[in-house]
Amino acid sequence: MRVLDRGLAWLSHQYLGDIPVDRISTVVAVLLSYALAHVFRRIPPQMSNAKHVYSIASTLLLFGAVQGQYAGLMHLAVGSVIVYGLIRLMRTRYMPYAVFLVAMLHMSYSHIRRQLNEQRSGRVELDHTGAQMVFVIKVTSLAFCIYDGQQDKAKLSGYQRKNAIMQAPSLLEFLGYVFFFPGFAVGPAFELATYRQMICLDDAKASGQLARRGYRKLLEGLFWMAVYVVYSNTYTFAEMARREFYVQRTFASTALHLCITGVVVRAAYYTAWKMSEGACIVAGLGFDGLDAGRARWLDIANVHVRGVETGSSLRQLIDSWNIGTNTWLRHHVYLRIAQRPEGSRASTRATVLTFLVSAWWHGFYPGYYLTFVMAALSANAARILRRNLHAPVYAHAGSTVKLVYGLLGWALSKYTLDFVAAPFMVLTLQSSLEIWRGNYYAVVVGVVGIYVLFRGVGRWLGRVGGRVPSQVLEKTK
């Protein structure tokens, strides 16, 4: 064991409730990235190559020396060279799809290797696959943006026009972007156009505002770290995967415990994502200039905590979680599968395929696929329900009914999120189904009921001149 690991193990045992060393080393690396970010931002924008080199060297220090992921760095270095070769040598419209396939297959190998190691060791370990997941988002997004840069702008969406790349980056710029140190291990992922904007940032215009905004994110991350340290041994999905847990428990107490456990487990993600986001901001990422003396900001967040914890619809909760991944899935997977303009009515086929790509991106544990297939079906069912209830309630109901409707929407959305996410956390099929069984498969039953009611019975009633208004039926098509 390395000297650093021994020191972190002692710290964890004495003060942090025996949190695994690999997780603590990740936090240490993120904290060190704040100091490195201040230096990075002070490199003049005219010295862009120096910024790229500094970013790469910082990642080698943090991910290699601090986290001990030298093998992971080799994987990502080799993957970077192969992807860059495809980008520069392939001149056809199939280039982004080739990059997507190669990057995903390489990551699949890493996921399978990690899964086999975890099955042998009996514990979930942090390795380079998290960084490789961010890497896949970046390089596949870049490939599609370069492809978009060669197309007629009139045929592109607003997002595609904004991020289209007219000229492929040099190898040094490409590596600086892929190995950008504050977000290398856990994100956020972002487009090359955003990276280029940061490289050109004049530090004198934004130094104080970047520091204040960045360190507020750090404090938010530290708060959620405290939540996790205090409650993570009390509220766990592993405990809920034991059949004995449900003895003499009512459905209401089980549902409440599930929702509290969801908050505690998400606190670990909030910690990493908010701290990493803050370091990226201190480095200059996300600053979009000044408007009448006030700073404009791009949304580079991985998560909007308020949206996840207080959102009144499942769509809002999903859109507020893992935002960089959602953006990638929406603009570089879903819209290209659906072949529909942004803002048009959702395609169920494209939705399900996108969730399956998301599951593939995460790995091969059965829990991932249960989560994402159920999430796709739940999101579609929630969309149907909202279309048929939201307008009538807000058009005709009084303030009390609207308040009750909003609270019910929040409670049901939260419970659905935690029910659906449970397999993602416990990973195995047996544990996943045990948690769902203990909750009486409530969300599964609800989703099936919505489909039957609005897609089956509702249309039948409409055909026989029944009780469902035609405009309501039309919205479910």
Side-chain angles (χ1 to χ4, degrees):
M1 179 182 285
R2 299 180 307 152
V3 174
L4 177 60
D5 288 343
R6 287 199 294 269
L8 294 178
W10 175 86
L11 179 68
S12 176
H13 181 69
Q14 293 292 325
Y15 302 107
L16 300 176
D18 289 316
I19 293 176
V21 169
D22 51 8
R23 285 152 178 79
I24 299 176
S25 67
T26 299
V27 172
V28 171
V30 172
L31 290 173
L32 289 174
S33 70
Y34 278 79
L36 295 171
H38 281 284
V39 178
F40 175 84
R41 201 178 68 239
R42 282 166 173 74
I43 299 175
Q46 299 83 1
M47 300 174 63
S48 59
N49 286 342
K51 284 196 166 187
H52 302 321
V53 171
Y54 182 89
S55 180
I56 297 167
S58 297
T59 291
L60 296 178
L61 170 66
L62 296 174
F63 201 65
V66 176
Q67 295 183 254
Q69 298 290 348
Y70 295 107
L73 284 172
M74 288 299 299
H75 265 285
L76 294 174
V78 171
S80 298
V81 172
I82 293 173
V83 166
Y84 188 76
L86 290 173
I87 289 174
R88 295 308 297 256
L89 297 177
M90 288 191 72
R91 302 293 182 180
T92 72
R93 62 190 180 94
Y94 298 109
M95 180 272 291
Y97 300 98
V99 169
F100 185 93
L101 184 61
V102 168
M104 289 289 283
L105 289 175
H106 182 196
M107 185 177 64
S108 297
Y109 165 78
S110 297
H111 277 315
I112 293 170
R113 184 172 177 272
R114 174 192 174 188
Q115 187 170 334
L116 292 174
N117 288 338
E118 288 173 351
Q119 289 174 352
R120 284 193 292 266
S121 66
R123 65 180 296 265
V124 176
E125 299 178 351
L126 292 181
D127 64 358
H128 70 277
T129 52
Q132 193 167 10
M133 291 162 76
V134 179
F135 168 85
V136 167
I137 292 177
K138 284 185 173 181
V139 297
T140 54
S141 298
L142 174 61
F144 278 113
C145 288
I146 291 174
Y147 171 78
D148 291 338
Q150 301 166 355
Q151 308 307 306
D152 182 357
K153 289 186 177 182
K155 297 180 180 179
L156 301 178
S157 68
Y159 183 91
Q160 291 169 340
R161 284 193 297 272
K162 178 182 177 182
N163 293 289
I165 300 299
M166 308 303 173
Q167 182 177 0
S170 67
L171 178 60
L172 182 60
E173 183 184 25
F174 172 78
L175 293 175
Y177 164 63
V178 169
F179 285 82
F180 180 59
F181 64 97
F184 178 77
V186 297
F190 47 87
E191 303 285 7
L192 178 65
T194 305
Y195 178 77
R196 285 178 168 175
Q197 186 173 349
M198 176 195 62
I199 292 295
C200 298
L201 174 67
D202 183 354
D203 176 68
K205 293 182 178 179
S207 180
Q209 297 186 70
L210 288 168
R212 284 192 297 272
R213 187 178 178 89
Y215 282 101
R216 281 199 299 269
K217 302 296 182 183
L218 173 61
L219 291 175
E220 189 176 350
L222 292 174
F223 167 78
W224 287 109
M225 180 191 290
V227 171
Y228 184 76
V229 169
V230 172
Y231 296 107
S232 60
N233 288 330
T234 305
Y235 295 95
T236 68
F237 281 109
E239 178 68 16
M240 296 191 73
R242 296 172 59 249
R243 182 160 298 192
E244 296 81 6
F245 175 83
Y246 300 96
V247 175
Q248 296 183 340
R249 278 186 179 269
T250 64
F251 174 74
S253 67
T254 298
L256 179 61
H257 194 96
L258 176 68
C259 292
I260 295 173
T261 300
V263 174
V264 173
V265 172
R266 284 193 294 276
Y269 291 86
Y270 296 156
T271 298
W273 284 343
K274 284 300 175 183
M275 292 173 68
S276 178
E277 179 188 342
C280 288
I281 292 172
V282 172
L285 192 70
F287 180 73
D288 197 30
L290 298 172
D291 186 3
R294 300 185 62 181
R296 297 191 309 270
W297 301 96
L298 301 173
D299 188 3
I300 62 163
N302 254 329
V303 63
H304 292 153
V305 177
R306 183 178 299 178
V308 174
E309 301 301 339
T310 66
S312 61
S313 69
L314 188 61
R315 168 73 179 273
Q316 185 178 354
L317 269 60
I318 292 175
D319 286 348
S320 299
W321 175 262
N322 208 353
I323 297 169
T325 304
N326 284 338
T327 300
W328 171 65
L329 290 169
R330 181 181 303 115
H331 292 287
H332 299 301
V333 179
Y334 174 82
L335 291 176
R336 297 181 194 271
I337 293 174
Q339 296 292 312
R340 298 184 182 191
E342 190 173 2
S344 62
R345 181 170 293 180
S347 162
T348 301
R349 168 181 163 274
T351 298
V352 172
L353 287 174
T354 301
F355 274 101
L356 287 174
V357 169
S358 182
W360 179 19
W361 178 76
H362 280 90
F364 298 99
Y365 279 106
Y368 295 150
Y369 293 84
L370 282 178
T371 287
F372 288 107
V373 170
M374 196 65 221
L377 297 174
S378 299
N380 201 49
R383 189 183 301 119
I384 293 170
L385 193 63
R386 191 173 181 85
R387 283 175 182 169
N388 288 281
L389 295 182
H390 190 77
V393 168
Y394 276 84
H396 307 294
S399 57
T400 303
V401 174
K402 291 177 183 177
L403 176 62
V404 172
Y405 174 81
L407 290 174
L408 282 175
W410 170 77
L412 289 174
S413 297
K414 282 285 292 174
Y415 178 74
T416 301
L417 173 69
D418 293 317
F419 180 97
V420 168
F424 185 96
M425 301 303 175
V426 297
L427 302 177
T428 66
L429 181 62
Q430 180 179 351
S431 296
S432 301
L433 295 179
E434 191 62 48
I435 294 176
W436 282 7
R437 186 201 65 80
N439 284 268
Y440 301 97
Y441 296 96
V443 172
V444 178
V445 172
V447 168
V448 172
I450 289 170
Y451 277 102
V452 170
L453 178 62
F454 290 99
R455 291 289 180 95
V457 176
R459 287 180 176 174
W460 178 78
L461 288 173
R463 284 198 300 270
V464 300
R467 305 162 194 169
V468 182
S470 60
Q471 63 269 28
V472 172
L473 293 173
E474 181 64 29
K475 291 179 181 178
T476 68
K477 293 181 180 178

